[in-house]
Amino acid sequence: MAHSTSHALSSAFMTQFLRNAGGTAIVDGGLATELERHGADLNDPLWSAKCLLTSPHLIHRVHMDYLEAGADIIITASYQATIQGFESKGYTTDESESLLRKSVEIACTARVNYYDRCNTSTPDESPDGRIFKKRQILIAASVGSYGAYLADGSEYSGIYGDSMTLEALKEFHRKRVKVLAESGADLIAFETIPNKLEAKAYAELLEEENISLPAWFAFNSKDGIHVVSGDSYSECVSIAESCRNTVAVGINCTPPRFIHGLISSIKKVTTKPIVIYPNSGESYDADLKEWVQNTGVSDDDFVSYVNKWCETGASIFGGCCRTTPNTIRGIYRTLSKR
């Protein structure tokens, strides 16, 4: 009985949240590029997780920027934060776990500080376009894929080699997922999932560890039909759909032009809310570890896509790599008009 009750609870969780938000909700945008803009140096295999160590105030600042741009869901700076990654830098297991918890604490503090500002600010929007509207805000604890830990771009290929079995993937993620599930976040965001095996590992892990926190599964695609490894997108969504924690399924870190078709294929498999946070469409050079300039879409184009995605059936929107608070503010204005 416990299973079916928690399943009903998790399904109701996002439906209720969306109802309170007016039918649609907004996720924040890119983290790493914003941290760099504020002066962080991310040239490190730990990438944005490095800021948990060196400059947590910058992470807090970026979270605040997104809340003031209208985001309803803040994703923690734990995408690249793994216990194995921290340990390889000489941190103990305890220190590594506390860094994971710290990513959630920073986001929760930003939410409290934002609510304080909302209480003292009138009207809802300041002359410089900052939004101070009291609303329910969720903290999503980010879990990046095994490929993100490797820091070799393999989350964009999904090819992990034959030695990475289902059991090995579960062991890789187990402790981290447990720590984040108990950290005070409202949900877990499994992001940039590049293959079916990792989706299965997450779903089985939640079940085995009896974790009751809601979760969303966001996959990435480079052709609009498959996830990046070549596995069928629909089959991946089916795995997420069958997991009792799942409150939304969707797409992140994927060029905007593929999203429309992917939403249609998700709808054939699930009736759960669909979350969409694409990248700007720029291409990433894994060898140079940098973005190829001028290959993406403008904020205006990105925002005009949102209306189409909304009409196709998605209800949670944000941005991934190379999107900014301006992108999110544009989405906020567009959705406010609906």
Side-chain angles (χ1 to χ4, degrees), residues 24 251-264 267 274-281 297-320 323 327-328 331 334-335 338:
T24 56
I251 306 157
N252 76 306
C253 212
T254 295
R257 65 182 181 278
F258 295 131
I259 302 294
H260 182 90
L262 289 167
I263 296 173
S264 307
K267 283 177 68 180
I274 297 174
V275 56
I276 303 290
Y277 49 120
N279 56 34
S280 64
V297 299
S298 69
D299 274 351
D300 288 350
D301 288 344
F302 191 98
V303 168
S304 70
Y305 272 120
V306 168
N307 274 320
K308 297 192 186 79
W309 299 332
C310 206
E311 281 154 22
T312 317
S315 52
I316 308 163
F317 307 94
C320 201
T323 59
T327 320
I328 299 309
I331 294 175
T334 296
L335 293 177
R338 293 182 76 89

Side-chain angles (χ1 to χ4, degrees), residues 123-267:
D124 278 358
E125 192 166 335
S126 68
D128 60 0
R130 289 184 299 166
I131 314 298
F132 294 108
K133 183 177 161 213
K134 192 82 184 264
R135 60 196 182 280
Q136 188 184 1
I137 289 162
L138 299 181
I139 306 300
S142 169
V143 174
S145 67
Y146 173 68
Y149 153 75
L150 296 175
D152 61 359
S154 59
E155 76 260 49
Y156 304 122
S157 73
I159 310 302
Y160 291 169
D162 296 340
S163 61
M164 208 9 102
T165 60
L166 179 65
E167 289 308 314
L169 270 178
K170 283 196 285 197
E171 285 322 300
F172 174 80
H173 287 295
R174 189 176 303 271
K175 193 76 186 126
R176 172 200 198 188
V177 170
K178 280 175 74 170
V179 169
L180 287 171
E182 291 160 12
S183 64
D186 299 298
L187 71 150
I188 298 174
F190 295 112
E191 306 188 284
T192 323
I193 309 169
N195 57 39
K196 199 160 81 173
L197 192 67
E198 199 149 28
K200 205 167 167 28
Y202 292 142
E204 290 189 10
L205 197 53
L206 292 170
E207 184 82 29
E208 285 169 18
E209 295 299 331
N210 212 17
I211 291 167
S212 58
L213 202 68
W216 80 42
F217 285 66
F219 299 91
N220 59 339
S221 171
K222 52 190 176 191
D223 64 2
I225 301 160
H226 307 90
V227 293
V228 291
S229 64
D231 291 339
S232 144
Y233 203 89
S234 303
E235 284 176 28
C236 288
V237 173
S238 297
I239 291 168
E241 161 67 22
S242 66
C243 168
R244 67 192 170 101
N245 301 64
T246 306
V247 293
V249 181
I251 306 157
N252 76 306
C253 212
T254 295
R257 65 182 181 278
F258 295 131
I259 302 294
H260 182 90
L262 289 167
I263 296 173
S264 307
S265 67
I266 294 173
K267 283 177 68 180

